[in-house]
Amino acid sequence: MSQLATPSERKMIYGGDWRPALDGATFESINPATSAVLGRVPNGGSDDTKAAIDAAAAAFPKWSRLPAAQRAIHLRRAADRLDAQREAIARTITLEEGKPLAESRNEMRLVVDSLHWYAEEARRAYGAWIPDPMPNRRLLTIREPVGVCGAIIPWNVPAAMIMRKAAPALAVGCTMVLKPAEQTPITALVVAEAFLQADLPPGVFNVVTGDPEPIGKSLLGDERVRKISFTGSTAVGRILLRGAAEHIKRVSMELGGNAPAILFEDCDLDKAVDNVAALKFLNAGQACITANRIYVQRSIHDRVAGKLAARAAALKVGDGTRDGVAMGPLIEEEALSKVAALVGDARERGASLLTGGARLVEGDLAKGTFYAPTVLTDMRGDMRMAKEEIFGPVATLYRFDTEEEVIAAANDVPYGLSAYVFTGSMSRAVRVGERLEVGMVGVNDIRIGAAEAPFGGIKQSGLGREGGREGMDEYLETKLLALGLELG
Ligand code: NAP
């Protein structure tokens, strides 16, 4: 097994070894906080993807037949490697994606935990012995791995996103070819390296970096790839779903969100503001589950707005590797332009700016893509931000009067990933929670993720779930064995 050529020149990993792109092409990974080049990685395409699929297909028969308990030993060894390198990988995430180190460390906790949890859970991929209506026959179901899986992930949670897919897939006996986002390839390669170091059999987990379209087309066009698991925008999800139709591949789609956070007048106001601020400015607002629309009941609106604006203004923004930094940059210039355009649209249509509202360019911040933590109020449903994912550190406040009115407004989007309800009444929380058209509802708490819990959306936010038992089912087929017997 060869090592990295130099820290700044990396290779992709498939078939148990480091590989350059077959045509030798490379591209740069950039630190969004400083615009410094972090390294070069292979710019793979269709031939590289085919070679990785060859490796995954060759590894599948043996890996899938290993007892789950033995696969678990491999996965636990990889988890231990990742755990030992937790701090170094967290630093890589921060350098490449921009989030503060504390957030990257939390992400690494989920990476390690997911591997441990699925290594255990796959040992419980039980079938069933079904009561039979016929004599001399018995009905039995067994659970089998789907096969070779193609995974495509975004940049915003670049390590945990790998493990949300790879941990259940590998634990039940699938093999995988993964394409990371072009903004965060090094994180993916560092995580994949831990599998190499843990002596995972060659071809079980493979990473191809490079051009999305040829890689995506190769994964979709190859009959040996039996499932596509995608996390990213709804627009790209739609393209992949169309492509998956050709060979009727299994799909999991974790797509965009537009989450409402609803603050009723009977909530614990300080706790609600703490939660909403933590959620909104997490990863500079670049999270699918962030609060995109904050609905505040009229009687508490001004107090909430004042406290949230004070929180936003006090956040220390900067390079996430520096001590005390609470919010990092946006991922790239294009993201800054989009956020600025959305804020401009809202202000032109009458939104009031309480704090922020501009790019940050003082001192070292000028080198990166930083946007000020922003709070807008007097928001209305006809503004672009009411319908579109903001993906930036902009808290938008909408006033409401009644429960009926806020449920209708919250549901009036094509997305349905997460929602948050803050209230002192458990009856109201359940009443509203049951009527919100989303896959996940946080009640007086924004922490909705865990290795044990099913994560995912409805409507145009996706298909399927990641995490929990449901996340494992996504990589399993159920086979019926109808046994003709002579039982007398
Ligand atoms: P994106 O543009 O859809 O990209 C996601 C991945 O798809 C990247 O690896 C990208 O590659 C690849 N891709 C783009 N076009 C492709 C094509 N034609 N064929 C195959 N692959 C293609 O999304 P993003 O901007 O990176 O991420 C933000 C989005 O992800 C947001 O909408 C967010 O809500 C969503 N998200 C959802 C969840 C969830 O669990 N529901 C979690 C996190 C993020 P390149 O990077 O090389 O272009």
Side-chain angles (χ1 to χ4, degrees):
M1 188 189 304
S2 65
Q3 278 302 309
L4 288 174
T6 69
S8 61
E9 184 193 325
R10 293 174 186 266
K11 295 182 178 164
M12 51 192 162
I13 296 176
Y14 61 82
D17 210 346
W18 299 98
R19 320 266 180 173
L22 290 168
D23 66 2
T26 59
F27 67 98
E28 289 174 344
S29 171
I30 308 284
N31 180 341
T34 61
S35 301
V37 176
L38 291 168
R40 298 195 70 83
V41 296
N43 194 22
S46 18
D47 289 345
D48 306 271
T49 312
K50 178 172 178 310
I53 297 170
D54 289 346
F60 178 72
K62 200 164 169 199
W63 180 249
S64 59
R65 280 187 212 122
L66 264 190
Q70 285 188 31
R71 286 194 299 265
I73 292 170
H74 285 283
L75 298 187
R76 278 199 294 271
R77 211 183 289 142
D80 290 344
R81 285 275 173 182
L82 286 162
D83 204 13
Q85 296 164 23
R86 186 186 278 214
E87 188 61 23
I89 302 178
R91 200 176 159 76
T92 303
I93 296 172
T94 292
L95 289 173
E96 210 174 29
E97 200 270 349
K99 64 182 66 163
L101 263 178
E103 289 181 28
S104 300
R105 289 184 184 121
N106 280 340
E107 183 170 341
M108 283 308 294
R109 255 174 236 130
L110 184 59
V111 165
V112 174
D113 201 34
S114 296
L115 262 177
H116 278 298
W117 197 79
Y118 278 112
E120 276 309 310
E121 194 61 10
R123 298 174 66 176
R124 292 180 274 278
Y126 305 130
W129 189 258
I130 300 169
D132 200 311
M134 310 280 281
N136 289 328
R137 189 185 69 173
R138 289 294 181 264
L139 296 176
L140 172 68
T141 57
I142 54 175
R143 313 296 312 279
E144 294 186 332
V146 167
V148 176
C149 299
I152 300 178
I153 60 168
W155 45 266
N156 65 337
V157 200
M161 209 64 83
I162 297 173
M163 227 42 84
R164 305 282 279 172
K165 300 182 189 304
L170 269 47
V172 300
C174 295
T175 57
M176 180 167 273
V177 176
L178 178 129
K179 188 206 99 59
E182 278 171 281
Q183 295 89 342
T184 52
I186 296 178
T187 302
L189 294 174
V190 172
V191 170
E193 187 178 20
F195 282 116
L196 273 189
Q197 292 167 339
D199 291 330
L200 196 75
V204 170
F205 182 66
N206 310 278
V207 175
V208 178
T209 52
D211 266 351
E213 279 197 41
I215 296 175
K217 280 191 178 141
S218 300
L219 290 171
L220 290 165
D222 195 312
E223 280 201 79
R224 294 171 299 172
V225 177
R226 290 310 316 142
K227 175 177 174 104
I228 297 289
S229 177
F230 173 69
T231 300
S233 62
T234 298
V236 173
R238 209 171 272 126
I239 295 173
L240 298 178
L241 269 173
R242 284 198 194 103
E246 183 61 25
H247 295 132
I248 319 289
K249 291 189 200 302
R250 291 267 303 260
V251 289
S252 295
M253 294 278 148
E254 297 286 344
L255 307 177
N258 185 341
I262 305 173
L263 279 62
F264 287 100
E265 60 194 359
D266 60 359
C267 73
D268 176 333
L269 197 138
D270 286 326
K271 189 175 163 199
V273 171
D274 280 352
N275 270 265
V276 169
L279 178 65
K280 184 66 246 185
F281 301 114
L282 180 80
N283 202 11
Q286 303 169 112
C288 54
I289 54 164
T290 194
N292 214 56
R293 297 166 289 150
I294 303 166
Y295 294 100
V296 188
Q297 207 157 14
R298 195 171 299 276
S299 62
I300 58 167
H301 172 276
D302 293 354
R303 273 190 296 152
V304 168
K307 281 174 188 277
L308 200 54
R311 287 296 171 83
L315 283 177
K316 183 170 172 192
V317 180
D319 181 332
T321 57
R322 299 234 170 105
D323 279 346
V325 164
M327 200 184 91
L330 294 184
I331 189 69
E332 58 196 3
E333 289 288 340
E334 202 184 322
L336 262 178
S337 313
K338 188 192 153 200
V339 170
L342 289 174
V343 170
D345 169 80
R347 293 189 68 188
E348 274 164 29
R349 292 171 196 250
S352 309
L353 180 70
L354 300 186
T355 185
R359 181 176 190 159
L360 294 172
V361 289
E362 302 85 43
D364 278 352
L365 296 181
K367 294 183 193 156
T369 39
F370 294 94
Y371 196 85
T374 298
V375 179
L376 289 168
T377 188
D378 299 322
M379 293 294 296
R380 287 195 325 260
D382 62 346
M383 296 170 179
R384 278 181 63 194
M385 279 196 276
K387 306 286 178 204
E388 294 178 36
E389 234 183 337
I390 303 169
F391 242 55
V394 183
T396 55
L397 271 54
Y398 301 72
R399 290 182 184 81
F400 75 91
D401 292 301
T402 67
E403 208 174 290
E404 276 303 314
E405 172 200 351
V406 78
I407 291 170
N411 287 339
D412 189 23
V413 288
Y415 299 99
L417 190 57
S418 61
Y420 309 88
V421 180
F422 294 90
T423 172
S425 157
M426 196 44 79
S427 299
R428 170 179 268 161
V430 172
R431 206 162 57 226
V432 175
E434 286 183 352
R435 290 183 59 195
L436 288 171
E437 296 168 357
V438 293
M440 301 167 286
V441 182
V443 175
N444 295 327
D445 204 327
I446 49 140
R447 296 167 303 165
I448 54 174
E452 294 85 344
F455 182 105
I458 62 170
K459 293 162 82 175
Q460 293 185 29
S461 287
L463 300 168
R465 292 293 180 271
E466 286 188 338
R469 214 183 149 79
E470 293 83 351
M472 191 169 84
D473 289 341
E474 299 283 333
Y475 294 93
L476 287 166
E477 298 283 6
T478 300
K479 180 183 278 176
L480 172 72
L481 295 184
L483 309 173
L485 304 165
E486 289 176 15
L487 299 172

